[in-house]
Amino acid sequence: MSSQQTDRPRAIFLDIDGTYADHGVVPDAHVEAVRAVRRQGHLVFVCTGRPLSMVPEHILGAGFDGVITGAGARVELDGEVLKDTRFSQDLAARIVDTLDAHDVAYILEAPEALHGRTGVDERLRRVLTPVFAGRSGHDGVLSTDVDPVEDILGPVQYSDDLRHASFAKISCFDSPVPLTRLMAGLGPDVGLIPSSLSALGDTAGEIFMAGTHKAVGIQVVEKRLGLKREDIVAIGDSANDIEMLEYAGIGIAVEDGHPKVLAVADRFTPGPAGNGVALAFAGLGLLN
């Protein structure tokens, strides 16, 4: 990209898992790259499917200009919450009843906490431990003591009754029946995307509010700050990044990302193990 195209400040939106971090582990090069581009006057935002309650300080440690969580459900800018959308109470209770009736292992995601049914942690450890085996850290990264299973379960609060919980998204990790079949009875206000943990197959997925996605969160920031769409850069790898990459002026997909993400990308970059965010910034001429 030519130097003329870097004259204006860019607004960069980064997915976390599989993009900025590898199961909670952030490469040193990514931290340094975020700090470097901000010193150059560009803006950098976290834009993640994780709820705020599941975004630990070591991930935010590089310093960001704002945080979009819940795949667009919540937007925070300079400490001000601009958006905090959740399922209606009636629909939330119906979703919980449906999942419980089919013995699904799930976590309800809210900004202030994760919610799980009492005892689900044991089942989730059995399901998730093989997925993360040998993937808790590697050379050249920060926080190599992060346990990826506890990264998920650590913020969870447990209860025997979740029908009155307030939440914006549900992560399902183990369903005896395909989640697509369960979705049929929940109506048009509910959507389903594949889990970012692709090894779990169709026994897992994320249930979200229809019409809520990362690009919606970006638009809130865009409007508040008076950004131009052509100056927006987005980097991601999972199914919940599709709208974000489509919306951005430049959409960058992680090379081994979801096929539909690759299909809408303008550029490609390696994953966290290959310092892909830093390479993408360098390729756009944003580091100097």
Side-chain angles (χ1 to χ4, degrees), residues 140-264:
V141 297
L142 295 177
S143 305
T144 54
D145 58 342
V146 173
D147 180 331
V149 176
E150 295 308 317
D151 182 49
I152 294 173
L153 297 181
V156 180
Q157 298 177 359
Y158 298 97
S159 173
D160 292 329
D161 182 7
L162 297 176
R163 298 187 78 256
H164 302 290
S166 173
F167 56 91
K169 191 160 66 74
I170 309 100
S171 284
C172 301
F173 297 94
D174 184 28
S175 175
V177 298
L179 289 171
T180 50
R181 190 186 308 171
L182 301 187
M183 295 296 294
L186 293 176
D189 295 331
V190 181
L192 174 71
I193 60 171
S195 170
S196 59
L197 301 176
S198 57
L200 296 177
D202 64 3
T203 66
E206 296 182 4
I207 298 173
F208 64 95
M209 295 172 284
T212 297
H213 48 72
K214 290 185 179 183
V216 171
I218 290 174
Q219 288 168 346
V220 172
V221 176
E222 179 185 11
K223 181 177 180 180
R224 169 58 66 95
L225 297 182
L227 303 175
K228 295 183 177 180
R229 185 173 173 183
E230 59 264 32
D231 293 332
I232 293 173
V233 177
I235 310 179
D237 73 309
S238 296
N240 65 5
D241 294 315
I242 295 170
E243 293 89 353
M244 176 172 79
L245 266 64
E246 284 181 322
Y247 187 78
I250 300 175
I252 303 174
V254 173
E255 291 170 347
D256 60 352
H258 190 283
K260 291 184 178 179
V261 176
L262 300 178
V264 301

Side-chain angles (χ1 to χ4, degrees), residues 18 37 83 89 108 120 132 140 158 163 241 248 255-256 283 285 287:
V37 297
K83 177 182 174 67
Q89 190 59 60
L108 308 178
V120 75
F132 294 127
Y158 298 97
R163 298 187 78 256
D241 294 315
E255 291 170 347
D256 60 352
L287 294 175

Side-chain angles (χ1 to χ4, degrees), residues 20 23-26 31 55-62 142-143 146 151:
Y20 181 65
H23 301 299
V25 180
V26 184
V31 174
V55 183
E57 279 304 313
H58 74 261
I59 285 180
L60 298 177
L142 295 177
S143 305
V146 173
D151 182 49

